[in-house]
Amino acid sequence: MTSSGTRLQYSLFLLRLGVFVVMLMWTLDKFINPGHTTAIFENFYGLAGLGNALIMGLAAVELLILLAFVSGLFKRFSYGAVLLFHAVSTLSSFRQYLDPWDHLLFFAAWPMLAACIALYLLRDDDRLFTIRF
């Protein structure tokens, strides 16, 4: 592998790992504090009254997808799902972008969204520390 190929592999791996860490924390929050997730779904997505069992079920599915993503399994699906999750989260926060100085941290979602898009587009080139059949 050329040195530029090696750099690309490490870059894609680090992007995948970084996105995974953020998404994992959001997933763990669903397990640890389902009330927080319920409030987020109500405030940002307009979905009220989600029960803890549904939140736990969503978290379990999300965790399985994240484990596939970080291990490089089913890339079209897992990378696409992570991109979709994060895109919906980023775009549903549009009100926070209208008042940036009170919600500055929300802008961190945009470079992560760019990383998710890059990973999806380059998924076939992302092979370092992945499980392959």
Side-chain angles (χ1 to χ4, degrees), residues 92-110:
S92 70
S93 302
F94 71 92
R95 288 178 298 202
Q96 278 61 35
Y97 305 124
L98 300 176
D99 191 11
W101 309 122
D102 285 336
H103 302 100
L104 201 51
L105 193 56
F106 277 83
F107 283 84
W110 291 98

Side-chain angles (χ1 to χ4, degrees), residues 32 37 41 56 59 66 81 83 92 95 100 118 121:
I32 295 167
T37 301
F41 272 74
M56 295 292 179
L66 286 175
L83 169 58
S92 70
R95 288 178 298 202
L121 294 174

Side-chain angles (χ1 to χ4, degrees), residues 61-79:
V61 170
E62 192 172 292
L63 182 59
L64 290 174
I65 291 169
L66 286 175
L67 292 173
F69 170 77
V70 76
S71 62
L73 287 171
F74 315 111
K75 290 180 185 179
R76 181 177 296 278
F77 171 74
S78 64
Y79 287 39

Side-chain angles (χ1 to χ4, degrees), residues 1 6 8 10 20 38 42 69 77 81 84-85 99 108 116 129:
M1 184 180 304
T6 302
L8 176 63
Y10 278 101
F20 170 75
T38 301
E42 188 170 332
F69 170 77
F77 171 74
L84 180 65
F85 294 160
D99 191 11
C116 291
F129 305 121

Side-chain angles (χ1 to χ4, degrees), residues 1-12 125 127:
M1 184 180 304
T2 66
S3 97
S4 66
T6 302
R7 287 193 307 260
L8 176 63
Q9 289 300 307
Y10 278 101
S11 297
L12 292 171
D125 297 314
R127 295 182 298 274

